[in-house]
Amino acid sequence: MDIFLDVLDTLIFDRCYALLSPDPAATFNNDTLTTTNLNRHVRVYYPMQPSKWAEASLWKRDDIARQALSLYLITWLFAMIMYLLGSLLLYHTLFDKRLLQHPRFLKNQIKLEINQGISAIPVMALLTVPFFLAEIRGWSKLYDFTSDSPFFGYTLLQYPLFICFTDSGIYWIHRALHHPQIYRWLHKPHHKWAVPTPFASYAFHPLDGWSQSLPYHVYPLIFPLQKGAYLGLFVFVTIWTVLIHDAEYMPGSAIINGASCHTMHHLYFNYNYGQFTTAWDRLGGTYRKPKGDSFMDSEQKFGGKCE
């Protein structure tokens, strides 16, 4: 995130902050800027020169309030693009349009899902900013290059470690969200979509969606993680969240907690809380193997009792 901030400061934010809060004593001499510590994060990878507005605002780049605002805008915009674009692509490719005629499919459901998603994302972005602030201010264990890894082989090991850590965390958080005293006011809005579309992937109560994202943000505070891997995993997690709310007819797996497993969660409610694997569901006694059950035949098989 520090690299994104350097780039966007140079291309966009420096000028915006200079217009919003100009520094009367500022000069616009690029020769003096090249010797400063600006663009220090992106320069590790690419020799990007700071813009002429880099020090033209009273809000300097290292001001924590400015960083928080910039990070909020970046997170909000990135999440909105990933949510709307990813859901739209999946809806027009893999999504089974027959589900639109399902008895449990709500009137104007897609519109309702989108409204809930776009209203939740700004709040989730706000709650996520402290984690990104910790990262750019050097309070995490993110590192730049594979040569900086703790030991030989960690470059590959970091991926399964991340998956295992987040899979475990999300399982227990998700299972706790189904506790009756929590479910009614926090997780129930998501289960309103008994037959979800890809647009339901972010149609959460904001605190619900944010709580399930916590393991992703806590991980680099505890364990080393290369920045490129962090970015790739963040994109992967976002896409995976959309995928498991679609394509319920895709082949199932005994190990991967994919779309077919998540279908079981929507059909039977108290099963398959996991995110990536079935490991914790098996250990916790909450695994239900998909056996061809789908939303299309749920009305006939289960009397319409999709939770």
Side-chain angles (χ1 to χ4, degrees), residues 133-144:
L133 271 176
E135 293 170 11
I136 67 169
R137 298 183 80 85
W139 302 334
S140 74
K141 295 191 175 183
L142 292 172
Y143 59 91
D144 291 306

Side-chain angles (χ1 to χ4, degrees), residues 267-287:
L267 287 175
Y268 300 102
F269 188 69
N270 288 323
Y271 298 92
N272 298 357
Y273 297 108
Q275 181 78 349
F276 301 116
T277 75
T278 62
W280 281 103
D281 279 300
R282 292 177 183 277
L283 290 171
T286 56
Y287 176 66

Side-chain angles (χ1 to χ4, degrees), residues 3-212:
I3 298 166
F4 271 120
L5 195 55
D6 273 358
V7 173
L8 291 176
D9 272 337
T10 301
L11 299 179
I12 300 172
F13 290 139
D14 283 339
R15 185 168 188 175
C16 292
Y17 287 117
L19 292 173
L20 292 172
S21 180
D23 183 354
T27 60
F28 294 86
N29 187 346
N30 286 83
D31 294 333
T32 62
L33 293 178
T34 57
T35 62
T36 69
N37 200 30
L38 299 171
N39 286 352
R40 58 188 178 276
H41 299 294
V42 72
R43 278 189 178 185
V44 174
Y45 304 94
Y46 181 79
M48 188 177 193
Q49 296 291 76
S51 70
K52 67 178 183 179
W53 297 280
E55 294 187 332
S57 172
L58 291 173
W59 264 16
K60 303 305 179 184
R61 284 193 181 186
D62 59 354
D63 186 293
I64 192 170
R66 167 175 165 168
Q67 290 176 336
L69 178 57
S70 298
L71 289 170
Y72 174 67
L73 295 173
I74 294 170
T75 306
W76 185 358
L77 181 61
F78 178 81
M80 287 288 288
I81 292 174
M82 292 294 292
Y83 165 58
L84 293 174
L85 182 60
S87 300
L88 188 66
L89 288 174
L90 223 59
Y91 177 79
H92 287 293
T93 53
L94 297 179
F95 182 67
D96 189 346
K97 302 299 190 301
R98 294 177 300 164
L99 294 177
L100 300 177
Q101 308 304 318
H102 193 284
R104 296 296 299 273
F105 195 84
L106 304 178
K107 183 180 180 181
N108 298 321
Q109 179 173 313
I110 293 179
K111 181 180 178 180
L112 294 172
E113 289 173 337
I114 294 174
N115 286 341
Q116 187 171 334
I118 62 177
S119 64
I121 285 174
V123 182
M124 289 190 287
L126 182 64
L127 295 172
T128 304
V129 164
F131 294 100
F132 289 150
L133 271 176
E135 293 170 11
I136 67 169
R137 298 183 80 85
W139 302 334
S140 74
K141 295 191 175 183
L142 292 172
Y143 59 91
D144 291 306
F145 300 106
T146 56
S147 57
D148 301 323
S149 62
F151 54 83
F152 178 77
Y154 188 81
T155 299
L156 296 177
L157 185 62
Q158 64 184 335
Y159 295 101
L161 282 177
F162 178 89
I163 295 297
C164 290
F165 179 88
T166 55
D167 196 43
S168 173
I170 292 172
Y171 172 83
W172 290 108
I173 292 171
H174 191 180
R175 187 167 178 175
L177 287 167
H178 277 258
H179 189 282
Q181 294 183 356
I182 300 176
Y183 174 80
R184 294 189 185 94
W185 63 275
L186 201 59
H187 195 51
K188 188 175 182 178
H190 182 65
H191 275 276
K192 177 181 180 180
W193 324 116
V195 183
T197 75
F199 295 100
S201 55
Y202 280 77
F204 289 95
H205 184 290
L207 289 178
D208 179 4
W210 174 76
S211 67
Q212 293 194 62

